[in-house]
Amino acid sequence: AAMEVPLSHGLASRAAALATGYLCYRRGSPGRGLALRSLRRARRQDIDDVGHKYYLELELEDVLDKDSTVICTAEVLYHLGNKNIAPDVQFTLEGELKNTDEADNIFYNRIKSLEKELVAENIPDSHGNVPPEMEPIRLLAWVASGYVIWQNSTENTKFQLAQIKHVKQVKRSDEYLEFDYMILLHDMVSQEIIPWEMTVLWHPQHGVQVTQDSRQPKHA
Amino acid sequence: HQVLRIIPTNDEELQKVQELQDLEELQLDFWLAPRGLGHPVDIRVPFPSLQPLKAHLEANGISYSIMIEDVQTLVDDEQMEMIRGRHGLPLSTNTFDYATYHSLDEIYTFMDLLVAENPNLVSKLEIGRSTENRPLYVLKFSKGGTNRPAIWIDTGIHSREWVTQASGVWFAKKIVQDHENNEGVASILDKMDIFLEIVTNPDGFVFTQTQNRMWRKTRSRRSGSVCVGVDPNRNWDAGFGGPGASGNACSETYHGPYANSEPEVKSIVDFVKSHGNIKAFISIHSYSQLLLYPYGYTTTPVPDQKELDEISKKAVAALSSLYGTNYKYGSIITTIYQASGGTIDWTYNQGIKYSFTFELRDTGRYGFLLPAKQIVPTAQETWLALKVIMQHTLDHPY
């Protein structure tokens, strides 16, 4: 049996953040990051023996072009009990996402032709600055963190990417680009800042993949 | 460009010179701001404003001398700063850069300048000292009277929320600029005082600048733990220690060993209790774009829920009207999460009906690392919401 339950903004916004992270991972690239502009509608059903299902209507915006928005209808299912299973997310998008082939290819070629591996720290810096040439590196982290957020979210977490502490390119002999990131995730519910390491693979035609990730210990 | 020097010799002259600071279209650059009778005021005047300014001064019988006949227009910004003897510290609140993040020293210097420039309106109170013995300063804006009903605003209680301290600095200047203006806070200041604590957690703030940009808590140490700091927004005596705070000293929401253990919190508690006439209390945080009222520690609605909700609706509409920034509003517990020992739960239970918390920009894209160019727009829109709350407080005495 499934029962509709009243839903507070506090709970709904967590499911919205999770859905946005997942979506961004599935559709993002160094030329396109998606962020939540507004949560338009939300409701929740508690399904016996299964878990809690959220039905959401979100408006998302392109991080590089605020005027470019899409509407997303998403269903998020948090599984009962087992904390090791990532929530299920399904979504449909209304509206067109901008084509980023050109920007993606420019970035891809730029990195491929670097003599020394790219290394960078603190993106954004303390004052919120991101050097323009680092924006695709930042967006790639934004997209990849969507995967980490999706895999690690529960109804009691609300993660956002807070900062890239460190990023290092790893040269590969194949066509993929590989980056090792140390990121900080902010969990709004516990207010904790959680360092997380992730290895990210990308190719313009093959999308973003997180091949390894692990939570790191917090400093005292 | 020329640099003119004026030495006000009476109150009327002084006032006229102070008023010049408001004439934005003249683009006057005050190298020495008005400080009082007999103190020189030096103004760099761009060429197009020379004639109108001189005419204005002459018409008002204000004598001036030409200190520098022709400032080289090719003098670049850095040399200009050196000539002013800036040394990294601002010389007047008109030359202060509101669109950037500042150090604690710069903010404390700003406060002193604001008081010196407006001695009849602004004073600085020290309400206590932090764990690391830094002074805790509150600016008082008052047109007189004794113990008038008052509005309290604090920013920076969580040190990593940098847009809040930066907005607090902007609010301080704004109150001064608008204190005679009916679209501003004139009518509010005619009857009420405003108290503004800009850096509510100075130890944490310095730590975010020197060691860890993401530091939230105070910097108190307790024997028996390697971890430092207490969450100052879980340390108040309202549902203290209950669900919605952590008993673990290493947690970001550690409530502390007992309520008011943190001097940053105790000093405000003592101030509020001894003042006895605070009618609105607004504590400012970031990020999430929310306007919140009590309670955080319990789902029981406050008796004044309906009124607080209506005020919130109006305040949020005013905020949005400027740049379209979208805010949600509601009680803490339903809108974000359960939180015990929170500031405005305590102030509400003390009888301060109009108790609110803001969570400023953004919603996560930059989070705590909000770009400096968003400081002024954030402060401007938030100010509109604050004015709604202050006006309502003025119109509904209790």
Side-chain angles (χ1 to χ4, degrees), chain A residues 8-10 14 36 39 63 66 124-128 135 138 142 160-163 184 186 188-193 218, chain B residues 101 160 162 212-216 250-253 287-288 290 328 334-337 363-366 368-372:
Chain A
S8 67
H9 176 266
R14 296 172 201 182
L36 181 64
L39 171 56
V63 140
K66 303 290 180 67
D125 67 15
S126 285
H127 294 226
E135 194 65 67
R138 184 202 183 198
W142 180 263
Q160 291 283 349
L161 173 64
Q163 192 182 34
L184 297 179
H186 171 230
M188 182 67 75
V189 178
S190 66
Q191 291 294 346
E192 296 296 331
I193 301 287
K218 176 175 134 151
Chain B
Y101 293 109
R160 63 190 180 199
W162 279 17
N212 180 353
R213 175 64 177 80
M214 297 292 176
W215 191 260
R216 165 184 168 91
C250 299
S251 163
E252 295 281 24
T253 55
Y287 60 94
S288 282
L290 303 171
K328 295 267 190 296
T334 59
T335 314
I336 22 171
Y337 43 44
T363 54
R365 166 114 197 267
Y366 288 94
F368 300 120
L369 307 180
L370 196 70

Short mmCIF file of all heavy atoms in Angstrom, two decimals, chain A residues 8-10 14 36 39 63 66 124-128 135 138 142 160-163 184 186 188-193 218, chain B residues 101 160 162 212-216 250-253 287-288 290 328 334-337 363-366 368-372:
data_model
loop_
_atom_site.label_atom_id
_atom_site.label_comp_id
_atom_site.label_asym_id
_atom_site.label_seq_id
_atom_site.Cartn_x
_atom_site.Cartn_y
_atom_site.Cartn_z
N SER A 8 7.08 18.71 4.08
CA SER A 8 7.59 20.03 4.42
C SER A 8 8.63 20.45 3.39
O SER A 8 9.22 19.60 2.70
CB SER A 8 8.24 20.00 5.80
OG SER A 8 9.41 19.20 5.74
N HIS A 9 8.87 21.75 3.33
CA HIS A 9 9.88 22.25 2.40
C HIS A 9 11.25 21.66 2.73
O HIS A 9 12.04 21.35 1.83
CB HIS A 9 9.94 23.78 2.44
CG HIS A 9 11.02 24.34 1.57
ND1 HIS A 9 12.28 24.65 2.03
CD2 HIS A 9 11.05 24.59 0.24
CE1 HIS A 9 13.02 25.09 1.02
NE2 HIS A 9 12.30 25.06 -0.08
N GLY A 10 11.51 21.52 4.03
CA GLY A 10 12.81 20.99 4.46
C GLY A 10 13.10 19.64 3.83
O GLY A 10 14.18 19.41 3.29
N ARG A 14 15.55 18.38 0.12
CA ARG A 14 16.63 17.38 0.10
C ARG A 14 16.49 16.47 -1.11
O ARG A 14 17.47 16.17 -1.80
CB ARG A 14 16.60 16.53 1.37
CG ARG A 14 16.88 17.34 2.61
CD ARG A 14 16.66 16.56 3.88
NE ARG A 14 16.45 17.47 4.99
CZ ARG A 14 16.27 17.08 6.25
NH1 ARG A 14 16.26 15.79 6.55
NH2 ARG A 14 16.08 17.97 7.19
N LEU A 36 19.68 23.85 -9.56
CA LEU A 36 18.27 24.00 -9.25
C LEU A 36 17.92 25.46 -9.13
O LEU A 36 18.50 26.19 -8.33
CB LEU A 36 17.98 23.29 -7.91
CG LEU A 36 16.53 23.32 -7.43
CD1 LEU A 36 15.63 22.56 -8.39
CD2 LEU A 36 16.42 22.70 -6.04
N LEU A 39 12.09 24.77 -6.85
CA LEU A 39 11.31 23.56 -6.64
C LEU A 39 9.86 23.98 -6.77
O LEU A 39 9.34 24.73 -5.96
CB LEU A 39 11.60 23.02 -5.23
CG LEU A 39 10.73 21.87 -4.71
CD1 LEU A 39 10.76 20.69 -5.66
CD2 LEU A 39 11.21 21.47 -3.33
N VAL A 63 24.17 26.61 -15.61
CA VAL A 63 25.04 27.39 -14.74
C VAL A 63 25.81 28.47 -15.51
O VAL A 63 26.12 29.52 -14.97
CB VAL A 63 25.96 26.38 -14.02
CG1 VAL A 63 27.36 26.83 -13.89
CG2 VAL A 63 25.36 25.96 -12.71
N LYS A 66 22.15 31.66 -17.28
CA LYS A 66 21.00 31.60 -16.39
C LYS A 66 19.66 31.65 -17.11
O LYS A 66 18.65 31.21 -16.60
CB LYS A 66 21.04 32.73 -15.36
CG LYS A 66 22.28 32.80 -14.51
CD LYS A 66 22.36 31.63 -13.52
CE LYS A 66 23.59 31.66 -12.65
NZ LYS A 66 23.58 32.80 -11.72
N PRO A 124 36.11 27.35 -6.26
CA PRO A 124 36.50 28.75 -6.24
C PRO A 124 37.45 29.06 -5.08
O PRO A 124 37.55 28.27 -4.14
CB PRO A 124 35.17 29.50 -6.04
CG PRO A 124 34.10 28.49 -6.16
CD PRO A 124 34.70 27.17 -5.91
N ASP A 125 38.10 30.22 -5.13
CA ASP A 125 38.94 30.59 -3.99
C ASP A 125 38.05 31.15 -2.87
O ASP A 125 36.82 31.16 -2.99
CB ASP A 125 40.05 31.57 -4.41
CG ASP A 125 39.54 32.94 -4.83
OD1 ASP A 125 38.37 33.29 -4.55
OD2 ASP A 125 40.32 33.69 -5.45
N SER A 126 38.70 31.63 -1.80
CA SER A 126 37.92 32.10 -0.64
C SER A 126 36.93 33.20 -0.97
O SER A 126 35.92 33.37 -0.28
CB SER A 126 38.86 32.66 0.43
OG SER A 126 39.50 31.61 1.08
N HIS A 127 37.24 33.97 -2.01
CA HIS A 127 36.38 35.10 -2.37
C HIS A 127 35.37 34.75 -3.46
O HIS A 127 34.73 35.64 -4.00
CB HIS A 127 37.25 36.29 -2.83
CG HIS A 127 38.09 36.86 -1.72
ND1 HIS A 127 38.20 38.20 -1.49
CD2 HIS A 127 38.85 36.26 -0.78
CE1 HIS A 127 39.01 38.40 -0.45
NE2 HIS A 127 39.43 37.23 0.00
N GLY A 128 35.28 33.46 -3.81
CA GLY A 128 34.32 33.04 -4.82
C GLY A 128 34.83 33.18 -6.24
O GLY A 128 34.07 32.99 -7.19
N GLU A 135 36.97 27.28 -15.37
CA GLU A 135 35.53 27.05 -15.31
C GLU A 135 35.15 25.64 -15.79
O GLU A 135 34.36 24.96 -15.13
CB GLU A 135 34.79 28.15 -16.09
CG GLU A 135 33.30 28.23 -15.84
CD GLU A 135 32.89 28.62 -14.41
OE1 GLU A 135 33.16 29.76 -14.00
OE2 GLU A 135 32.31 27.76 -13.72
N ARG A 138 35.96 23.17 -13.16
CA ARG A 138 35.01 23.28 -12.09
C ARG A 138 33.69 22.61 -12.44
O ARG A 138 33.09 21.91 -11.62
CB ARG A 138 34.78 24.74 -11.78
CG ARG A 138 33.87 24.87 -10.61
CD ARG A 138 33.23 26.18 -10.61
NE ARG A 138 32.41 26.23 -9.40
CZ ARG A 138 31.46 27.06 -9.22
NH1 ARG A 138 31.20 27.94 -10.16
NH2 ARG A 138 30.77 27.03 -8.11
N TRP A 142 31.60 19.60 -10.74
CA TRP A 142 30.19 19.80 -10.39
C TRP A 142 29.37 18.61 -10.90
O TRP A 142 28.54 18.04 -10.18
CB TRP A 142 29.72 21.11 -11.00
CG TRP A 142 28.31 21.51 -10.76
CD1 TRP A 142 27.25 21.31 -11.60
CD2 TRP A 142 27.78 22.19 -9.63
NE1 TRP A 142 26.11 21.83 -11.04
CE2 TRP A 142 26.40 22.38 -9.85
CE3 TRP A 142 28.36 22.67 -8.44
CZ2 TRP A 142 25.57 23.01 -8.92
CZ3 TRP A 142 27.53 23.30 -7.52
CH2 TRP A 142 26.15 23.47 -7.76
N GLN A 160 25.89 19.55 -1.25
CA GLN A 160 26.25 20.47 -2.33
C GLN A 160 27.76 20.40 -2.47
O GLN A 160 28.46 20.20 -1.46
CB GLN A 160 25.90 21.92 -1.97
CG GLN A 160 24.43 22.24 -1.90
CD GLN A 160 23.81 22.38 -3.26
OE1 GLN A 160 24.50 22.44 -4.27
NE2 GLN A 160 22.50 22.42 -3.31
N LEU A 161 28.27 20.63 -3.67
CA LEU A 161 29.71 20.76 -3.83
C LEU A 161 30.11 22.11 -3.28
O LEU A 161 29.61 23.14 -3.73
CB LEU A 161 30.09 20.68 -5.32
CG LEU A 161 31.56 20.97 -5.64
CD1 LEU A 161 32.48 19.93 -5.01
CD2 LEU A 161 31.78 21.01 -7.15
N ALA A 162 31.00 22.13 -2.28
CA ALA A 162 31.39 23.40 -1.65
C ALA A 162 32.63 24.00 -2.31
O ALA A 162 32.73 25.21 -2.49
CB ALA A 162 31.64 23.21 -0.16
N GLN A 163 33.59 23.14 -2.63
CA GLN A 163 34.84 23.65 -3.20
C GLN A 163 35.69 22.50 -3.73
O GLN A 163 35.57 21.38 -3.26
CB GLN A 163 35.64 24.37 -2.09
CG GLN A 163 36.83 25.20 -2.59
CD GLN A 163 37.61 25.83 -1.45
OE1 GLN A 163 37.74 25.25 -0.38
NE2 GLN A 163 38.13 27.03 -1.67
N LEU A 184 35.35 19.21 -1.51
CA LEU A 184 34.64 19.34 -0.22
C LEU A 184 33.15 19.34 -0.52
O LEU A 184 32.69 20.15 -1.34
CB LEU A 184 35.01 20.64 0.48
CG LEU A 184 36.47 20.82 0.89
CD1 LEU A 184 36.66 22.19 1.55
CD2 LEU A 184 36.92 19.73 1.83
N HIS A 186 29.40 19.90 1.14
CA HIS A 186 28.74 20.47 2.31
C HIS A 186 27.40 19.76 2.47
O HIS A 186 26.62 19.70 1.50
CB HIS A 186 28.52 21.98 2.11
CG HIS A 186 27.66 22.61 3.17
ND1 HIS A 186 26.57 23.41 2.88
CD2 HIS A 186 27.73 22.55 4.52
CE1 HIS A 186 26.02 23.81 4.02
NE2 HIS A 186 26.70 23.31 5.02
N MET A 188 24.05 20.17 4.16
CA MET A 188 23.26 21.21 4.81
C MET A 188 22.62 20.71 6.09
O MET A 188 22.43 21.48 7.03
CB MET A 188 22.17 21.67 3.82
CG MET A 188 21.30 22.76 4.33
SD MET A 188 22.20 24.30 4.55
CE MET A 188 22.37 24.81 2.86
N VAL A 189 22.26 19.42 6.17
CA VAL A 189 21.53 18.93 7.35
C VAL A 189 22.44 18.83 8.56
O VAL A 189 22.10 19.31 9.65
CB VAL A 189 20.85 17.58 7.04
CG1 VAL A 189 20.14 17.05 8.27
CG2 VAL A 189 19.87 17.73 5.89
N SER A 190 23.61 18.23 8.41
CA SER A 190 24.53 18.11 9.54
C SER A 190 25.47 19.30 9.62
O SER A 190 26.19 19.47 10.60
CB SER A 190 25.35 16.84 9.42
OG SER A 190 26.20 16.94 8.28
N GLN A 191 25.51 20.09 8.54
CA GLN A 191 26.41 21.23 8.40
C GLN A 191 27.88 20.80 8.29
O GLN A 191 28.79 21.65 8.35
CB GLN A 191 26.24 22.25 9.54
CG GLN A 191 24.92 22.97 9.50
CD GLN A 191 24.78 23.87 8.28
OE1 GLN A 191 25.75 24.17 7.59
NE2 GLN A 191 23.56 24.31 7.99
N GLU A 192 28.11 19.54 8.08
CA GLU A 192 29.48 19.07 7.97
C GLU A 192 30.08 19.36 6.60
O GLU A 192 29.37 19.39 5.59
CB GLU A 192 29.55 17.54 8.21
CG GLU A 192 29.15 17.11 9.61
CD GLU A 192 30.07 17.62 10.71
OE1 GLU A 192 31.27 17.83 10.45
OE2 GLU A 192 29.58 17.80 11.85
N ILE A 193 31.39 19.56 6.61
CA ILE A 193 32.15 19.71 5.37
C ILE A 193 32.93 18.40 5.21
O ILE A 193 33.74 18.06 6.08
CB ILE A 193 33.13 20.90 5.45
CG1 ILE A 193 32.37 22.19 5.71
CG2 ILE A 193 33.97 20.98 4.18
CD1 ILE A 193 31.58 22.74 4.55
N LYS A 218 37.85 13.94 8.11
CA LYS A 218 37.76 15.37 8.31
C LYS A 218 38.94 15.82 9.15
O LYS A 218 39.42 15.08 10.00
CB LYS A 218 36.45 15.60 9.08
CG LYS A 218 36.12 16.98 9.50
CD LYS A 218 34.73 17.00 10.15
CE LYS A 218 34.74 17.80 11.42
NZ LYS A 218 33.46 18.43 11.72
N TYR B 101 35.45 41.44 0.12
CA TYR B 101 35.49 40.91 1.47
C TYR B 101 36.67 41.53 2.23
O TYR B 101 37.74 41.71 1.66
CB TYR B 101 35.63 39.38 1.43
CG TYR B 101 34.41 38.70 0.87
CD1 TYR B 101 34.41 38.10 -0.39
CD2 TYR B 101 33.21 38.67 1.60
CE1 TYR B 101 33.28 37.47 -0.90
CE2 TYR B 101 32.07 38.05 1.10
CZ TYR B 101 32.11 37.46 -0.16
OH TYR B 101 30.98 36.85 -0.66
N ARG B 160 31.98 31.26 8.55
CA ARG B 160 32.24 30.98 7.13
C ARG B 160 31.21 31.65 6.21
O ARG B 160 31.38 31.66 4.99
CB ARG B 160 32.26 29.47 6.84
CG ARG B 160 30.94 28.73 7.11
CD ARG B 160 31.16 27.22 7.05
NE ARG B 160 29.94 26.45 7.30
CZ ARG B 160 29.94 25.15 7.65
NH1 ARG B 160 31.07 24.50 7.78
NH2 ARG B 160 28.78 24.53 7.86
N TRP B 162 30.47 34.44 4.89
CA TRP B 162 31.11 35.74 4.66
C TRP B 162 30.19 36.80 4.07
O TRP B 162 30.41 37.99 4.32
CB TRP B 162 32.32 35.58 3.73
CG TRP B 162 33.57 35.12 4.40
CD1 TRP B 162 33.69 34.53 5.63
CD2 TRP B 162 34.88 35.19 3.86
NE1 TRP B 162 35.01 34.24 5.88
CE2 TRP B 162 35.77 34.62 4.81
CE3 TRP B 162 35.42 35.67 2.66
CZ2 TRP B 162 37.15 34.54 4.61
CZ3 TRP B 162 36.79 35.58 2.46
CH2 TRP B 162 37.64 35.03 3.42
N ASN B 212 41.20 28.04 7.82
CA ASN B 212 40.20 27.13 7.26
C ASN B 212 38.97 27.93 6.88
O ASN B 212 38.17 28.34 7.73
CB ASN B 212 39.84 26.04 8.28
CG ASN B 212 38.79 25.06 7.74
OD1 ASN B 212 38.24 25.25 6.66
ND2 ASN B 212 38.52 24.02 8.49
N ARG B 213 38.82 28.16 5.60
CA ARG B 213 37.75 29.01 5.08
C ARG B 213 36.37 28.48 5.46
O ARG B 213 35.40 29.22 5.49
CB ARG B 213 37.89 29.07 3.55
CG ARG B 213 36.78 29.80 2.82
CD ARG B 213 36.72 31.27 3.17
NE ARG B 213 35.70 31.97 2.43
CZ ARG B 213 34.39 31.96 2.73
NH1 ARG B 213 33.95 31.25 3.76
NH2 ARG B 213 33.54 32.65 2.00
N MET B 214 36.28 27.17 5.75
CA MET B 214 34.99 26.57 6.03
C MET B 214 34.67 26.48 7.53
O MET B 214 33.76 25.74 7.93
CB MET B 214 34.92 25.15 5.42
CG MET B 214 35.03 25.15 3.91
SD MET B 214 33.57 25.90 3.15
CE MET B 214 34.05 25.86 1.43
N TRP B 215 35.40 27.22 8.37
CA TRP B 215 35.14 27.14 9.82
C TRP B 215 33.83 27.83 10.17
O TRP B 215 33.57 28.95 9.75
CB TRP B 215 36.31 27.76 10.61
CG TRP B 215 36.17 27.46 12.07
CD1 TRP B 215 35.69 28.26 13.06
CD2 TRP B 215 36.46 26.20 12.70
NE1 TRP B 215 35.66 27.61 14.25
CE2 TRP B 215 36.13 26.33 14.07
CE3 TRP B 215 36.97 24.98 12.24
CZ2 TRP B 215 36.30 25.29 14.98
CZ3 TRP B 215 37.14 23.95 13.16
CH2 TRP B 215 36.81 24.10 14.51
N ARG B 216 33.02 27.18 10.99
CA ARG B 216 31.68 27.67 11.31
C ARG B 216 31.54 28.13 12.76
O ARG B 216 30.87 29.12 13.06
CB ARG B 216 30.72 26.49 11.06
CG ARG B 216 29.30 26.59 11.64
CD ARG B 216 28.57 25.28 11.33
NE ARG B 216 27.32 25.13 12.05
CZ ARG B 216 26.13 25.52 11.56
NH1 ARG B 216 26.06 26.13 10.40
NH2 ARG B 216 25.03 25.33 12.26
N CYS B 250 33.33 17.34 18.22
CA CYS B 250 33.92 17.42 16.89
C CYS B 250 32.89 17.76 15.81
O CYS B 250 33.23 17.93 14.65
CB CYS B 250 34.62 16.11 16.53
SG CYS B 250 35.96 15.73 17.69
N SER B 251 31.64 17.84 16.21
CA SER B 251 30.57 18.08 15.23
C SER B 251 30.38 19.57 14.96
O SER B 251 30.60 20.41 15.83
CB SER B 251 29.29 17.46 15.78
OG SER B 251 28.18 17.97 15.10
N GLU B 252 29.92 19.88 13.75
CA GLU B 252 29.67 21.27 13.38
C GLU B 252 28.49 21.86 14.12
O GLU B 252 28.33 23.07 14.18
CB GLU B 252 29.39 21.38 11.87
CG GLU B 252 30.55 21.02 10.99
CD GLU B 252 31.59 22.12 10.86
OE1 GLU B 252 31.69 22.98 11.75
OE2 GLU B 252 32.31 22.11 9.84
N THR B 253 27.65 20.99 14.70
CA THR B 253 26.48 21.49 15.43
C THR B 253 26.58 21.15 16.92
O THR B 253 25.58 20.98 17.60
CB THR B 253 25.16 20.92 14.85
OG1 THR B 253 25.25 19.49 14.84
CG2 THR B 253 24.92 21.43 13.45
N TYR B 287 23.93 29.82 3.67
CA TYR B 287 23.20 30.21 2.49
C TYR B 287 21.92 29.39 2.39
O TYR B 287 21.79 28.42 3.16
CB TYR B 287 24.07 29.96 1.24
CG TYR B 287 24.48 28.53 1.06
CD1 TYR B 287 23.75 27.64 0.27
CD2 TYR B 287 25.62 28.00 1.71
CE1 TYR B 287 24.11 26.31 0.12
CE2 TYR B 287 26.00 26.67 1.57
CZ TYR B 287 25.25 25.84 0.76
OH TYR B 287 25.61 24.51 0.63
N SER B 288 21.05 29.67 1.55
CA SER B 288 19.84 28.91 1.20
C SER B 288 18.70 29.79 0.70
O SER B 288 17.73 29.26 0.15
CB SER B 288 19.27 28.09 2.35
OG SER B 288 20.01 26.91 2.56
N LEU B 290 16.38 31.82 2.50
CA LEU B 290 15.20 31.54 3.31
C LEU B 290 14.99 32.65 4.33
O LEU B 290 15.95 33.25 4.80
CB LEU B 290 15.39 30.24 4.11
CG LEU B 290 15.70 28.94 3.35
CD1 LEU B 290 16.08 27.84 4.33
CD2 LEU B 290 14.51 28.52 2.50
N LYS B 328 12.25 31.26 0.10
CA LYS B 328 11.12 30.57 0.72
C LYS B 328 11.06 31.05 2.17
O LYS B 328 12.04 31.57 2.69
CB LYS B 328 11.37 29.06 0.70
CG LYS B 328 11.42 28.46 -0.69
CD LYS B 328 10.06 27.96 -1.10
CE LYS B 328 10.01 27.13 -2.34
NZ LYS B 328 10.39 27.77 -3.57
N THR B 334 10.17 23.38 9.92
CA THR B 334 9.54 22.84 8.70
C THR B 334 10.29 23.26 7.44
O THR B 334 10.23 22.58 6.43
CB THR B 334 8.08 23.31 8.54
OG1 THR B 334 8.05 24.73 8.49
CG2 THR B 334 7.21 22.80 9.67
N THR B 335 10.99 24.36 7.51
CA THR B 335 11.60 24.87 6.29
C THR B 335 13.02 24.38 6.07
O THR B 335 13.44 24.21 4.93
CB THR B 335 11.57 26.41 6.28
OG1 THR B 335 10.28 26.83 6.67
CG2 THR B 335 11.87 26.97 4.91
N ILE B 336 13.79 24.18 7.14
CA ILE B 336 15.06 23.48 6.95
C ILE B 336 15.17 22.21 7.75
O ILE B 336 15.23 21.13 7.18
CB ILE B 336 16.36 24.29 7.17
CG1 ILE B 336 16.16 25.51 8.05
CG2 ILE B 336 16.98 24.71 5.86
CD1 ILE B 336 17.49 26.14 8.43
N TYR B 337 15.27 22.33 9.04
CA TYR B 337 15.45 21.11 9.85
C TYR B 337 15.22 21.44 11.32
O TYR B 337 15.11 22.60 11.72
CB TYR B 337 16.86 20.54 9.68
CG TYR B 337 18.01 21.54 9.69
CD1 TYR B 337 18.09 22.59 10.60
CD2 TYR B 337 19.04 21.42 8.76
CE1 TYR B 337 19.15 23.48 10.59
CE2 TYR B 337 20.10 22.30 8.75
CZ TYR B 337 20.15 23.33 9.66
OH TYR B 337 21.22 24.21 9.64
N THR B 363 21.83 29.42 -3.40
CA THR B 363 21.17 28.17 -3.04
C THR B 363 22.11 26.98 -3.21
O THR B 363 21.67 25.83 -3.16
CB THR B 363 19.91 27.93 -3.89
OG1 THR B 363 20.26 28.01 -5.25
CG2 THR B 363 18.83 28.93 -3.55
N GLY B 364 23.41 27.26 -3.42
CA GLY B 364 24.35 26.14 -3.47
C GLY B 364 25.35 26.20 -4.60
O GLY B 364 26.36 25.52 -4.57
N ARG B 365 25.10 27.04 -5.57
CA ARG B 365 26.05 27.10 -6.70
C ARG B 365 27.45 27.53 -6.20
O ARG B 365 28.46 26.96 -6.58
CB ARG B 365 25.53 28.09 -7.73
CG ARG B 365 26.55 28.49 -8.75
CD ARG B 365 26.22 28.02 -10.15
NE ARG B 365 27.42 28.09 -10.97
CZ ARG B 365 27.76 29.13 -11.72
NH1 ARG B 365 26.97 30.18 -11.77
NH2 ARG B 365 28.87 29.10 -12.42
N TYR B 366 27.49 28.56 -5.36
CA TYR B 366 28.75 28.97 -4.73
C TYR B 366 28.73 28.71 -3.23
O TYR B 366 29.76 28.60 -2.59
CB TYR B 366 29.03 30.45 -4.99
CG TYR B 366 29.44 30.76 -6.40
CD1 TYR B 366 28.50 31.14 -7.35
CD2 TYR B 366 30.77 30.64 -6.80
CE1 TYR B 366 28.87 31.40 -8.66
CE2 TYR B 366 31.16 30.92 -8.10
CZ TYR B 366 30.21 31.29 -9.03
OH TYR B 366 30.59 31.56 -10.32
N PHE B 368 28.98 28.98 0.46
CA PHE B 368 29.67 29.91 1.35
C PHE B 368 30.64 30.80 0.59
O PHE B 368 31.00 31.89 1.05
CB PHE B 368 30.44 29.15 2.43
CG PHE B 368 29.56 28.29 3.29
CD1 PHE B 368 29.74 26.92 3.35
CD2 PHE B 368 28.51 28.85 4.01
CE1 PHE B 368 28.90 26.12 4.13
CE2 PHE B 368 27.66 28.06 4.78
CZ PHE B 368 27.88 26.69 4.84
N LEU B 369 31.11 30.33 -0.58
CA LEU B 369 32.12 31.05 -1.36
C LEU B 369 31.46 31.99 -2.36
O LEU B 369 31.79 31.97 -3.54
CB LEU B 369 33.03 30.06 -2.08
CG LEU B 369 33.68 28.98 -1.20
CD1 LEU B 369 34.56 28.07 -2.05
CD2 LEU B 369 34.49 29.61 -0.08
N LEU B 370 30.53 32.80 -1.88
CA LEU B 370 29.79 33.67 -2.79
C LEU B 370 30.72 34.73 -3.37
O LEU B 370 31.43 35.41 -2.63
CB LEU B 370 28.64 34.34 -2.03
CG LEU B 370 27.56 34.97 -2.90
CD1 LEU B 370 26.74 33.90 -3.62
CD2 LEU B 370 26.65 35.87 -2.08
N PRO B 371 30.74 34.88 -4.70
CA PRO B 371 31.62 35.88 -5.31
C PRO B 371 31.34 37.28 -4.78
O PRO B 371 30.18 37.66 -4.57
CB PRO B 371 31.28 35.79 -6.81
CG PRO B 371 30.72 34.43 -7.00
CD PRO B 371 30.02 34.11 -5.70
N ALA B 372 32.42 38.04 -4.57
CA ALA B 372 32.31 39.36 -3.98
C ALA B 372 31.37 40.28 -4.74
O ALA B 372 30.72 41.14 -4.15
CB ALA B 372 33.70 39.99 -3.88
#
